C-alpha cells in the first residue's frame, strides 16, 4: 500500500515551517476557518501533476513576502520509503513548480512518481455538482477519469489546443484548406477518444454501484448517468465527425470555438429513469455524491488495481445517518489513505477509533 507518512511545509501559503504526521488510514484535519486545512490538502495534491486541487497559480502558493515554498513528504511505497520534495522556482521569468523523488527530478523518475498514486478529490463546491454548470460536471467526471489514467489530461490539452488552432485558422482571410482538413481530422480523433473515455467512466460508476448495491445490500435506487450532447450518440464515427465540423466552419468563425464536441457535453443524473437527481433535497444529493465516490473507489481498487488517496475537504455537511454510514463505508471498505477536513473534531466522532486527528494551528 502507498501512503503519505508525513508532510513538512516551508513558506507555503499561511505556513512558515509546519510538520504533520499521518496514518495510512483515515486522517482528519480539524481547526478554525483559515487555519490552513484546505492548504494542506492542496499541498498533498502538489506532489503529482498539475497545479493542485484549486488549480491556482504557482506563485500564490508562496507565503506572502517570501521567495519560494518548499514542501517535503516521506511517502511509503510497500517496503520502500521515498522522499518527495516539491518547490517553486523561477524559470524564464515564470514561477513554476518542480518535483523531486529522492532528490531526482529527471523526467523518467517523475513519470514513475505519477504512476505511484492518484487522488480522488472532493471539494466544498462538489456539493453542488447537480446544480452547477455543465462545465463543472464535465470537469468532475474528467477528474474521475484522471484518477484512473493520469495521461488523460494530455488528451484533453491536445484537444483544446487543436480547437484553438482551428479558430485561429478560420479567422485568417487566406488559409490552406488542407491544413484545416488535417486539424479537423485530429480534433475528430481526439474528440472521439474523449467521448469514449467518458462513456467508459460513467458506465463503470453505474455498474460498480449496482454491484455494491447487491453485495452490500445498500438498497439504493438504480443510478443512471447519461451524456447529454447534441452531437454525441452511439452511432458517431470519424467520417460523420469530420463532416459535421466542416459544416460548422462559417458559424464557428463568428462564434469562436467549435459548435460540436466533448467540450459541449453535459451529464444527466437520474434515479430509476424518472427522478432527476438535481430535484432531490440537498442532503439526498449528497447521498448520490457519496455513492459516486464509493463506486469510483470500488472501480479503481477492484477493477483497475489502483489505490487512490482521497482528499475530502469540508465533507461533513448534510451528514444524516445514511450519509454517515456511506462515508464510513468509504473510509473502511477499501483500505485507502483518506484525508478529511472540518471545523470541529466532534463532526467526525462516527469514524473508527484508529482515525488520526490533527488539530491545525498556525
Ligand atoms: N500565499 C499565502 N501567503 C500567506 N497566507 C496565505 C497565502 N495563501 C493563502 N493564505 C491564507 O491561508 C489561510 C488558510 O486558508 P485555508 O487553508 O483555505 O483555510 P481553511 O482551514 O479554512 O481550509 C487563509 O486565511 C489565507 O488568507
Ligand atoms: Mg477550507
Amino acid at each position: 500500500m502507498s501512503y503519505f507518512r508525513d508532510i513538512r511545509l516551508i513558506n507555503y501559503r499561511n505556513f512558515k515551517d509546519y510538520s504533520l504526521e499521518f496514518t495510512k488510514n483515515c486522517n482528519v484535519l480539524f481547526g478554525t476557518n483559515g487555519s490552513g486545512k484546505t492548504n494542506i490538502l492542496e499541498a498533498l495534491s502538489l506532489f503529482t501533476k498539475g497545479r493542485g486541487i484549486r488549480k491556482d497559480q504557482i506563485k500564490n502558493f508562496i507565503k506572502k513576502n517570501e521567495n519560494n515554498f518548499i514542501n517535503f513528504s516521506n511517502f511509503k511505497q510497500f517496503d520502500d520509503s521515498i522522499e518527495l520534495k516539491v518547490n517553486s522556482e523561477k524559470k524564464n521569468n515564470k514561477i513554476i513548480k518542480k518535483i523531486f523523488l529522492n532528490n531526482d527530478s529527471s523526467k523518467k523518475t517523475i513519470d514513475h512518481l505519477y504512476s505511484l498514486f492518484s487522488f480522488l478529490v472532493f471539494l466544498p463546491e462538489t456539493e453542488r455538482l447537480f446544480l452547477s454548470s455543465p462545465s463543472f460536471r464535465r470537469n468532475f467526471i474528467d477528474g474521475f477519469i484522471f484518477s484512473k489514467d493520469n495521461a488523460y489530461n494530455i488528451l484533453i490539452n491536445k484537444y483544446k489546443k487543436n480547437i484553438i488552432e482551428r479558430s485561429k485558422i478560420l479567422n485568417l482571410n487566406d488559409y490552406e484548406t488542407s491544413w484545416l482538413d488535417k486539424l479537423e481530422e485530429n480534433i475528430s480523433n481526439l474528440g472521439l477518444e474523449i467521448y469514449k473515455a467518458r462513456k467508459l467512466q460513467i458506465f463503470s460508476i453505474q455498474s460498480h454501484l449496482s454491484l455494491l448495491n447487491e453485495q452490500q445490500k445498500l438498497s439504493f435506487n438504480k443510478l443512471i448517468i447519461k451524456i447529454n450532447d447534441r452531437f454525441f450518440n452511439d452511432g458517431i464515427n470519424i467520417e460523420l465527425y469530420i463532416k459535421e465540423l466542416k459544416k460548422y466552419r462559417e458559424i464557428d468563425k463568428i462564434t469562436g470555438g467549435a459548435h460540436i464536441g466533448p467540450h459541449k457535453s453535459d451529464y444527466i443524473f437520474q434515479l430509476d429513469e424518472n427522478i432527476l437527481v438535481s430535484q432531490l433535497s440537498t442532503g439526498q444529493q449528497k447521498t448520490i455524491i457519496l455513492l459516486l465516490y464509493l463506486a469510483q473507489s470500488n472501480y479503481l481498487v477492484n477493477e483497475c488495481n489502483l489505490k487512490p488517496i482521497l482528499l475530502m475537504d469540508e465533507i461533513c455537511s448534510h451528514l444524516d445517518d445514511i450519509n454517515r454510514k456511506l462515508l464510513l463505508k468509504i473510509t473502511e471498505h477499501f483500505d485507502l489513505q483518506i484525508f478529511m477536513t472540518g471545523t470541529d473534531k466532534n463532526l467526525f466522532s462516527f469514524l473508527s477509533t484508529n482515525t488520526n486527528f490533527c488539530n491545525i494551528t498556525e
Side-chain angles (χ1 to χ4, degrees):
M1 184 187 177
S2 329
Y3 61 94
F4 292 95
R5 293 170 67 171
D6 56 23
I7 196 163
R8 182 172 175 204
L9 312 168
I10 299 174
N11 293 333
Y12 175 79
R13 295 281 196 191
N14 59 318
F15 299 105
K16 177 80 196 144
D17 185 347
Y18 191 72
S19 299
L20 281 175
E21 293 195 355
F22 302 128
T23 88
K24 62 179 169 37
N25 312 108
C26 187
N27 298 275
V28 166
L29 314 179
F30 68 97
T32 50
N33 289 330
S35 57
K37 304 176 295 294
T38 306
N39 290 345
I40 295 170
L41 297 189
E42 182 184 50
L44 289 166
S45 71
L46 291 183
F47 288 111
T48 190
K49 248 183 213 180
R51 289 176 287 128
I53 54 174
R54 282 188 281 211
K55 307 220 176 342
D56 205 351
Q57 291 172 290
I58 307 297
K59 68 173 168 55
N60 294 338
F61 300 141
I62 305 169
K63 188 171 167 58
K64 276 190 193 85
N65 305 321
E66 298 291 342
N67 291 320
N68 279 304
F69 78 84
I70 172 164
N71 298 346
F72 299 91
S73 177
N74 287 297
F75 188 79
K76 186 94 175 163
Q77 167 74 2
F78 300 109
D79 288 336
D80 285 346
S81 195
I82 300 168
E83 192 188 273
L84 299 178
K85 181 171 94 177
V86 59
N87 59 237
S88 55
E89 50 183 64
K90 233 183 188 152
K91 193 179 171 187
N92 308 330
N93 270 329
K94 261 180 81 176
I95 297 174
I96 58 155
K97 83 166 204 207
K98 194 156 181 185
I99 307 180
F100 300 81
L101 189 160
N102 292 334
N103 265 322
D104 179 358
S105 69
S106 63
K107 185 176 179 316
K108 195 170 157 241
T109 302
I110 299 309
D111 281 343
H112 169 65
L113 169 66
Y114 292 158
S115 72
L116 293 184
F117 58 89
S118 67
F119 293 106
L120 209 50
V121 183
F122 174 97
L123 296 176
E125 52 266 36
T126 311
E127 205 94 44
R128 291 182 54 79
L129 175 67
F130 308 110
L131 307 173
S132 293
S133 63
S135 77
F136 189 89
R137 280 184 288 278
R138 276 198 302 277
N139 290 336
F140 176 83
I141 297 291
D142 282 351
F144 271 24
I145 301 174
F146 186 70
S147 70
K148 181 202 155 203
D149 173 14
N150 69 50
Y152 180 66
N153 78 322
I154 300 173
L155 175 62
I156 293 279
N157 290 340
K158 257 195 216 161
Y159 175 78
K160 284 183 183 160
K161 236 175 102 180
N162 277 275
I163 296 269
I164 292 169
E165 187 74 13
R166 175 174 173 268
S167 292
K168 274 190 199 151
I169 296 175
L170 285 174
N171 279 296
L172 297 174
N173 289 325
D174 183 28
Y175 55 78
E176 288 255 358
T177 320
S178 64
W179 190 13
L180 195 58
D181 289 344
K182 184 68 207 154
L183 258 181
E184 287 177 352
E185 188 187 330
N186 288 347
I187 291 171
S188 305
N189 273 314
L190 296 165
L192 285 179
E193 251 186 272
I194 295 171
Y195 279 127
K196 195 172 137 202
R198 288 180 180 170
K199 227 176 104 174
L200 174 66
Q201 177 59 67
I202 57 174
F203 169 81
S204 305
I205 296 176
Q206 291 170 98
S207 54
H208 279 268
L209 210 48
S210 301
L211 205 70
L212 283 162
N213 236 340
E214 256 169 59
Q215 290 171 350
Q216 312 266 326
K217 305 201 171 29
L218 297 180
S219 68
F220 287 106
N221 290 358
K222 187 179 156 84
L223 181 69
I224 299 163
I225 311 173
K226 292 176 184 162
I227 295 181
N228 183 14
D229 183 302
R230 79 169 96 179
F231 170 63
F232 176 78
N233 62 59
D234 288 332
I236 62 166
N237 58 43
I238 183 86
E239 288 80 23
L240 269 175
Y241 203 143
I242 294 173
K243 210 173 121 193
E244 199 75 359
L245 278 175
K246 205 167 181 169
K247 201 171 94 188
Y248 281 113
R249 279 180 190 174
E250 282 311 304
I251 294 177
D252 288 344
K253 182 181 170 171
I254 300 162
T255 55
H259 210 68
I260 55 154
H263 63 291
K264 295 277 186 188
S265 293
D266 193 3
Y267 298 90
I268 299 173
F269 293 79
Q270 289 173 316
L271 287 181
D272 282 342
E273 281 296 349
N274 52 9
I275 305 166
L276 280 175
V277 172
S278 57
Q279 289 168 355
L280 298 175
S281 78
T282 316
Q284 287 174 310
Q285 290 184 33
K286 179 75 173 260
T287 308
I288 308 297
I289 290 166
L290 290 170
L291 285 171
L292 295 177
Y293 283 84
L294 186 68
Q296 182 69 0
S297 301
N298 202 59
Y299 170 54
L300 293 175
V301 172
N302 291 323
E303 191 172 327
C304 310
N305 207 12
L306 294 169
K307 290 249 177 184
I309 291 167
L310 269 62
L311 305 179
M312 308 191 111
D313 197 15
E314 301 290 346
I315 189 70
C316 280
S317 59
H318 308 288
L319 289 192
D320 61 359
D321 217 37
I322 293 173
N323 290 352
R324 256 195 299 276
K325 276 192 188 130
L326 271 178
L327 190 53
L328 196 61
K329 200 167 263 313
I330 295 171
T331 61
E332 290 183 340
H333 191 65
F334 304 105
D335 195 24
L336 300 173
Q337 189 177 34
I338 302 188
F339 296 86
M340 296 188 212
T341 75
T343 44
D344 191 351
K345 189 178 176 182
N346 294 325
L347 293 167
F348 299 92
S349 51
F350 65 96
L351 292 171
S352 66
T353 45
N354 62 5
T355 303
N356 171 38
F357 284 94
C358 308
N359 187 356
I360 308 304
T361 49
E362 170 72 16

